[in-house]
Amino acid sequence: MELWNAYDIHRIPKDNTLVRGEPIEKGDYHLVVHVCVFNSRNQMLIQQRQPFKEGWPNLWDITCGGSAVKGE
């Protein structure tokens, strides 16, 4: 089970915890981090998602990213 800290729209921490896969209440947010890698010619490294991925299979995506888990 993946747990996330809840934040308000201004990134102020809230007292509740969010659980991945469960509905998120209106006004609750969690942190997501994306890393983009550029070379000296200002080209961005991208990758094609696996065909078995549940969300947006076979599409192009940034190098890496994900949700910050509780406490990070």
Side-chain angles (χ1 to χ4, degrees):
M1 175 184 338
E2 188 173 329
L3 302 176
W4 301 327
N5 294 100
Y7 296 86
D8 70 12
I9 196 167
H10 303 288
R11 285 186 275 171
I12 307 284
K14 296 176 81 173
D15 291 332
N16 56 321
T17 298
L18 307 175
V19 179
R20 182 183 184 126
E22 293 186 3
I24 296 175
E25 297 290 326
K26 185 175 181 174
D28 281 352
Y29 299 86
H30 67 95
L31 298 178
V32 176
V33 177
H34 292 280
V35 177
C36 298
V37 178
F38 292 86
N39 66 15
S40 60
R41 296 189 316 221
N42 209 29
Q43 297 169 316
M44 183 176 13
L45 177 65
I46 60 174
Q47 63 187 8
Q48 190 171 21
R49 293 172 64 84
Q50 294 292 325
F52 54 81
K53 282 290 198 179
E54 191 172 312
W56 305 285
N58 287 320
L59 295 181
W60 293 95
D61 202 356
I62 59 170
T63 308
C64 66
S67 297
V69 296
K70 186 174 181 178
E72 288 188 324

